[in-house]
Amino acid sequence: MKINHSIIGIVTIALSLTSLKSDAQLAKEKIKLVDSAINYYYKRGLFNGTVLLAQKGSVVYQKAVGTNNAINGKPLSMESSFNLASISKQFMATMIMMLQEKGKLQYDDLVAKHLPTFPYNNITIRNLLNHTSGLSEYEILAIQKNNTLDTLNNDKMLALFAQYKPDLKFEPGTKWEYSNTAYVILGSIIVKEAGMPVESFFQQQIVQPLKLQNTYIHYLNMKTTEAPHPTRVFGMDRVNGQFVSNDLIRLDGVFGDGNVYSSAIDLLKWDQALYTNKLISADNLKQAFTRVTLKDGTKHDYGFGWVINQKDSIVSHTGGWVGFRNLIERHLENKLTAIVLSSGNNGSIMKVISGIIKGENPKFPVTQLINNVKLIDGTGSPAMDAEVRMIDNKIYEVGKLSAFENETVIDGKGLTLAPGFIDSHSHHFGDLEKHPEAIPTNNQGITTIVIGQDGGSYPMDTISDFIKKKPIAVNVASYTGHASLREETMGEKDVLRMSTQEEQTKMQAILKSEMEKGSLGLSTGLEYEQAFYSSKEEVLGLAKVVSKNNGRYISHIRSEDVNLDEAIEEIIEIGKTANIPVQISHIKIAKKSNWNQSTAFINRIQKARAEGVNITADVYPYNFWNSTLRVLFPNRDYTSLESATFATEQLFDPTQSYLVHYAPITSYEGKTISAIAQERNESTPQTLMNLIAIASDFDNKNPDFKGTTQAIAAKSMGDFDVANFIAWPYANICSDGNAGGHPRGYGAFTRVLGKYVREDKVMPLETAIFKMTGMSAEHLGIKNRGIIAAGNYADLVLFNPATVKDNATVQNSRALSTGIEMVWINGQLTYKNQQATGNYPGMLIKKQ
């Protein structure tokens, strides 16, 4: 029955409370704003409950909206009794204080003195009252050890702790950590020392003296013949436009941490009694409102059942459990009381009302409704007719929905709405400095790019600082690059060797730190020079660091052509040995003699999966890649005519492979290697070697050159293999693109939808969307994105499946895709009518 701290809010009400002068005028305007908030939240399904404001014991505002249950509910009233959840703790604390005054116990008594089966001999009643006991939560133990038909009660809970004696989280009194277990144990102490059921003692000592009409304790399997209280409210949640029941569960046979029911009117009586000696002495009550002092002398803002804001002289508590969200807040100096009781799964109005009382400008959530769409939700499920409602940056509801009053409604015109596409292997980040509108990604429906690929990455702090200073129109997540770790540790000019043990230890420490800052895991580019000389031991050591930190491994494997078999075995071994999910970057077969053998390679990977290795892949929908000319020499023998000849015959088709960047001789850009060879009056292998030599010389003579010296779009894959890898059930889609050069930078995802889905019918549309969204999120370990479901981030793309198409080519690599009609990122529209909207809501996504 834990405290709920959910917070939602974006739209600021224009009225400035701080500009108001007199207290009377201030109170009037605050009440007006509270009423506006209640109406706004109620009409949007965000509040179902009662609110009461009082000053010096007199009610200055009260309102009840909604019903008392989800099925044929009756209208709520100010007398309606809600499950107070954790607000119950202040009543339990008060009953303990009463027993202390009766001489039945002392605060510093050991708990075991009163409950002999309690298995810890160093926890006091005071530790229970102020959450310094170190006890683990009983909910976890009960779920693990009890069956689903067994209703828990206080005696059973004590028996579980006596039998299993879970380790304390810390020595009692040395730390503060909120504990429901502690208050359940206090409930048991009350029963023992009062000599009667807790509900009877509660009735005698609190309900009757205060003349409370709608306050009582109710828990499952109570020994009572009385009918349910007529004012009882049943818990419920709002789910996709409808309220559904969410009331007591099998853990609710316990009392102490919750299950006190009360109304707003009764809670005001309770509040007023706390200003008197009616229940307990003033000196004793002070302890409830005194901050706990830990053994090292530090203090924490909690007393006996109350959160204490000493600076503002406020004591309060929230309560959240099943379908209830509640608040009681007492401003001691001006005797102001705020009570919010609700049945629903959204407690955001509590913060709004509390803020209004304190003079803050309220922020109300913004909702938008997208209707008239075919929804593909990113799970692979069939498309369906549905509406989607966003609230601020999240998805609020999905289903048959009607527009709220004054709500923004977007007509989907019968098109398809899908989760925003997640590019699991991207190089687009470098373009965002000059072009934060992110047209290359938005135009193909990408809302999240995952960078730090092929072993090269930025530090997480650098990425975070960049996004804070430069708002962008795409989300970013990142791996930590193996080559970058090598360069930082070994020196940028000294990576063409194996690392030492000391260097490996330093790399591991940096990687651990980066993962703590949100890196998804480790990326390698083992085919590239900066990492080519690394040992398997080095890579495995880093992979084990990732495994310990619940991350993932993605790799441009050591060979995609000559030694492909060995490279696949290496990544399988890394996954098996490090016990870590591994992903093959842009899987391909780049050696002509192996074309059309993708099924055999898939079979090998499937065998590894059957053996327990969580190995997956991503793939882009082209039969040519984009990289440097040097990767065409697996043995790094760039002056070997034999190797150059092998490359032209087996590793790429020079008649269909284009230089997309070539700084030394820009006139070569856009020409095939064969055409350049003819122009130079050389053999193709000789030209390949010369182009590498000229580029190397250019680099040596221009050390300050910024940009790409040389890059080739090389045709080296068979169409059957590309389609087969795309169709493999464990391959998600990626671009491996940047903002120019290879057309994949502008059109990878739309090419899948146009060519491989609509034209070639390689897979159904729902499967393709799954491979771009839900599957990608799963492979990356990204949560709350990739699936259109309530609570997930509102990354969405609206497209026309009949017209969606990539238009980028090698000759015109920046041509925009067609058929992508709208893109939302974190609830904000970023792309419409092939143009940026000027919104920059992109976020840094961190490992969770």
Side-chain angles (χ1 to χ4, degrees):
M1 294 155 191
K2 296 176 181 171
I3 296 176
N4 177 276
H5 296 290
S6 60
I7 299 169
I8 298 178
I10 286 185
V11 177
T12 303
I13 300 302
L15 180 64
S16 174
L17 294 174
T18 55
S19 66
L20 304 172
K21 298 297 176 77
S22 71
D23 288 343
Q25 187 182 14
L26 183 65
K28 180 180 178 180
E29 293 301 330
K30 286 180 178 179
I31 291 170
K32 182 178 178 181
L33 281 174
V34 167
D35 190 65
S36 295
I38 293 170
N39 291 333
Y40 186 91
Y41 277 67
Y42 171 65
K43 289 178 181 179
R44 280 157 179 75
L46 297 168
F47 179 65
N48 179 88
T50 61
V51 175
L52 184 148
L53 303 179
Q55 194 150 25
K56 297 180 180 178
S58 298
V59 175
V60 296
Y61 177 84
Q62 61 182 7
K63 191 163 192 171
V65 293
T67 60
N68 70 344
N69 67 71
I71 304 172
N72 299 321
K74 297 178 182 179
L76 292 171
S77 71
M78 298 308 297
E79 287 75 34
S80 297
S81 302
F82 294 76
N83 188 327
L84 299 181
S86 286
I87 293 177
S88 304
K89 291 179 172 67
Q90 58 198 247
F91 291 98
M92 296 298 147
T94 299
M95 288 190 283
I96 288 288
M97 297 170 80
M98 290 174 167
L99 290 169
Q100 187 267 348
E101 290 191 349
K102 294 176 186 294
K104 297 289 186 176
L105 56 84
Q106 297 300 319
Y107 299 135
D108 294 316
D109 284 351
L110 291 174
V111 173
K113 175 181 177 181
H114 301 272
L115 300 174
T117 62
F118 186 69
Y120 307 98
N121 59 8
N122 57 346
I123 295 176
T124 67
I125 291 175
R126 188 185 300 276
N127 294 143
L128 301 180
L129 286 164
N130 57 30
H131 298 297
T132 60
S133 67
L135 288 165
S136 59
E137 289 295 4
Y138 72 86
E139 296 102 321
I140 298 172
L141 188 62
I143 290 171
Q144 288 175 342
K145 304 301 182 182
N146 287 1
N147 68 62
T148 56
L149 299 178
D150 189 3
T151 298
L152 188 70
N153 61 35
N154 284 46
D155 290 341
K156 290 179 181 178
M157 192 210 81
L158 280 170
L160 283 173
F161 274 80
Q163 179 179 356
Y164 296 103
K165 197 178 180 180
D167 292 339
L168 296 177
K169 295 183 177 180
F170 50 83
E171 179 188 345
T174 62
K175 293 183 180 180
W176 186 93
E177 184 174 305
Y178 193 83
S179 173
N180 289 302
T181 303
Y183 271 77
V184 175
I185 295 170
L186 287 172
S188 295
I189 293 174
I190 292 168
V191 172
K192 173 73 180 303
E193 300 306 331
M196 64 182 75
V198 68
E199 56 269 24
S200 300
F201 191 67
F202 181 65
Q203 185 75 16
Q204 290 180 11
Q205 301 296 318
I206 294 179
V207 172
Q208 291 176 359
L210 300 184
K211 298 180 180 179
L212 306 179
Q213 300 298 311
N214 303 296
T215 301
Y216 51 91
I217 291 175
H218 174 79
Y219 53 90
L220 296 180
N221 297 340
M222 282 180 63
K223 295 179 180 179
T224 179
T225 58
E226 296 181 7
H229 199 284
T231 64
R232 179 185 168 190
V233 177
F234 292 79
M236 58 187 186
D237 291 346
R238 184 177 172 96
V239 179
N240 292 332
Q242 303 292 328
F243 280 104
V244 298
S245 295
N246 182 18
D247 203 59
L248 303 185
I249 62 175
R250 68 181 177 92
L251 298 176
D252 283 305
V254 302
F255 52 82
D257 61 339
N259 288 333
V260 173
Y261 286 70
S262 189
S263 67
I265 295 294
D266 278 3
L267 282 178
L268 179 59
K269 294 178 183 178
W270 159 253
D271 158 71
Q272 290 302 295
L274 296 175
Y275 289 110
T276 71
N277 298 331
K278 198 165 190 177
L279 298 176
I280 53 178
S281 69
D283 287 341
N284 201 8
L285 186 60
K286 284 181 182 179
Q287 298 209 49
F289 302 136
T290 300
R291 298 162 69 210
V292 58
T293 301
L294 302 178
K295 287 186 175 180
D296 64 359
T298 61
K299 295 182 181 295
H300 192 86
D301 294 335
Y302 201 93
F304 292 177
W306 290 94
V307 177
I308 300 164
N309 180 341
Q310 186 169 295
K311 176 183 177 183
D312 297 324
S313 191
I314 297 172
V315 294
S316 64
H317 216 289
T318 59
W321 179 245
V322 289
F324 294 96
R325 302 292 183 270
N326 311 303
L327 167 71
I328 182 170
E329 185 172 281
R330 307 176 66 234
H331 296 241
L332 302 181
E333 287 188 357
N334 59 8
K335 302 295 190 295
L336 177 66
T337 306
I339 298 166
V340 181
L341 304 177
S342 69
S343 176
N345 52 340
N346 191 302
S348 57
I349 198 171
M350 298 189 303
K351 181 176 177 62
V352 171
I353 291 175
S354 178
I356 291 171
I357 293 169
K358 295 170 186 173
E360 300 171 2
N361 291 324
K363 295 180 179 180
F364 294 176
V366 175
T367 64
Q368 304 175 70
L369 182 69
I370 306 175
N371 63 12
N372 191 19
V373 296
K374 286 286 185 182
L375 178 68
I376 298 179
D377 66 5
T379 66
S381 301
M384 60 181 177
D385 295 326
E387 288 78 45
V388 174
R389 174 169 283 124
M390 296 178 278
I391 184 165
D392 297 337
N393 63 351
K394 300 281 187 70
I395 296 166
Y396 178 22
E397 299 175 327
V398 181
K400 297 297 182 182
L401 309 173
S402 300
F404 295 140
E405 180 181 328
N406 298 322
E407 183 176 37
T408 298
V409 178
I410 300 101
D411 183 0
K413 300 179 180 179
L415 301 178
T416 296
L417 185 72
F421 304 151
I422 300 173
D423 188 355
S424 64
H425 187 117
S426 171
H427 299 278
H428 288 94
F429 189 74
D431 186 57
L432 295 174
E433 174 70 40
K434 293 183 178 179
H435 303 290
E437 65 277 6
I439 291 295
T441 50
N442 272 252
N443 98 99
Q444 54 180 310
I446 295 170
T447 56
T448 297
I449 59 173
V450 183
I451 62 172
Q453 301 291 351
D454 300 321
S457 66
Y458 301 96
M460 292 301 296
D461 286 343
T462 300
I463 302 170
S464 179
D465 291 344
F466 174 85
I467 294 176
K468 288 177 183 177
K469 296 175 183 176
K470 187 82 172 183
I472 55 178
V474 67
N475 299 314
V476 178
S478 183
Y479 286 93
T480 297
H482 173 217
S484 296
L485 293 173
R486 299 190 100 233
E487 289 174 348
E488 182 175 352
T489 302
M490 302 167 65
E492 189 174 344
K493 302 296 185 182
D494 193 27
V495 293
L496 304 183
R497 62 173 175 84
M498 294 179 64
S499 60
T500 65
Q501 186 59 54
E502 181 182 1
E503 289 166 340
Q504 290 178 29
T505 300
K506 289 181 180 178
M507 282 188 258
Q508 292 169 13
I510 297 169
L511 177 58
K512 181 176 183 293
S513 174
E514 287 296 289
M515 292 198 66
E516 290 170 351
K517 294 176 181 179
S519 167
L520 299 180
L522 177 70
S523 85
T524 60
L526 300 178
E527 193 172 28
Y528 298 112
E529 289 178 331
Q530 295 90 334
F532 183 77
Y533 298 94
S534 62
S535 65
K536 190 179 297 184
E537 175 192 34
E538 175 184 314
V539 179
L540 269 173
L542 292 168
K544 289 177 181 178
V545 171
V546 174
S547 181
K548 289 178 182 177
N549 288 274
N550 196 32
R552 291 166 183 262
Y553 175 85
I554 189 169
S555 180
H556 178 126
I557 54 180
R558 207 172 287 271
S559 174
E560 297 175 326
D561 39 58
V562 177
N563 298 307
L564 179 59
D565 291 285
E566 294 177 22
I568 289 177
E569 292 302 324
E570 180 180 30
I571 192 171
I572 289 172
E573 183 181 346
I574 290 169
K576 183 181 296 183
T577 304
N579 190 25
I580 186 175
V582 294
Q583 177 145 328
I584 301 172
S585 287
H586 43 62
I587 189 170
K588 64 176 69 73
I589 297 174
K591 182 182 177 185
K592 288 183 182 179
S593 60
N594 286 337
W595 284 6
N596 300 322
Q597 295 183 30
S598 52
T599 299
F601 285 101
I602 288 173
N603 288 341
R604 174 64 189 100
I605 299 170
Q606 283 288 164
K607 181 182 177 184
R609 290 187 60 82
E611 294 169 349
V613 179
N614 184 0
I615 181 169
T616 57
D618 56 27
V619 57
Y620 56 77
Y622 298 88
N623 60 15
F624 57 98
W625 46 257
N626 187 91
S627 188
T628 69
L629 294 161
R630 298 165 74 92
V631 300
L632 291 167
F633 291 77
N635 297 321
R636 305 298 182 259
D637 48 350
Y638 308 116
T639 60
S640 169
L641 183 60
E642 180 181 0
S643 293
T645 302
F646 178 79
T648 59
E649 292 177 352
Q650 281 290 325
L651 304 186
F652 80 118
D653 182 347
T655 68
Q656 297 185 57
S657 300
Y658 296 81
L659 271 186
V660 292
H661 294 295
Y662 199 67
I665 307 173
T666 57
S667 62
Y668 286 174
E669 294 179 356
K671 296 179 181 179
T672 68
I673 303 302
S674 294
I676 295 170
Q678 187 174 3
E679 182 179 326
R680 292 174 61 87
N681 196 27
E682 297 173 340
S683 69
T684 304
Q686 187 64 52
T687 293
L688 179 61
M689 291 190 297
N690 287 340
L691 289 173
I692 291 174
I694 293 169
S696 178
D697 184 61
F698 179 88
D699 286 334
N700 291 332
K701 292 179 179 178
N702 299 274
D704 298 325
F705 177 77
K706 302 294 183 183
T708 303
T709 302
Q710 46 101 359
I712 180 177
K715 167 71 168 66
S716 67
M717 292 168 268
D719 291 332
F720 169 80
D721 295 328
V722 173
N724 207 20
F725 284 134
I726 288 175
W728 183 46
Y730 298 99
N732 66 264
I733 306 303
C734 73
S735 77
D736 192 22
N738 55 27
H742 197 295
R744 64 193 178 192
Y746 274 73
F749 286 74
T750 45
R751 181 174 175 82
V752 170
L753 297 176
K755 174 177 171 55
Y756 289 93
V757 173
R758 186 177 62 243
E759 297 174 9
D760 295 351
K761 296 180 172 50
V762 170
M763 70 189 83
L765 179 59
E766 292 88 345
T767 300
I769 295 300
F770 174 52
K771 286 172 168 287
M772 298 174 174
T773 57
M775 180 189 289
S776 296
E778 180 184 344
H779 288 178
L780 296 162
I782 291 176
K783 299 179 181 179
N784 303 322
R785 297 183 194 269
I787 296 175
I788 297 178
N792 283 355
Y793 285 93
D795 295 341
L796 303 167
V797 55
L798 183 71
F799 69 95
N800 187 338
T803 63
V804 65
K805 181 179 182 295
D806 66 305
N807 296 306
T809 64
V810 172
Q811 291 74 24
N812 184 10
S813 63
R814 292 177 171 82
L816 298 182
S817 300
T818 48
I820 299 294
E821 303 299 329
M822 296 185 191
V823 175
W824 292 264
I825 296 176
N826 299 312
Q828 295 188 42
L829 188 67
T830 59
Y831 186 79
K832 182 179 180 181
N833 298 327
Q834 294 192 306
Q835 293 182 337
T837 64
N839 293 323
Y840 301 96
M843 297 171 57
L844 174 59
I845 299 173
K846 298 182 179 182
K847 179 184 71 67
Q848 296 172 298

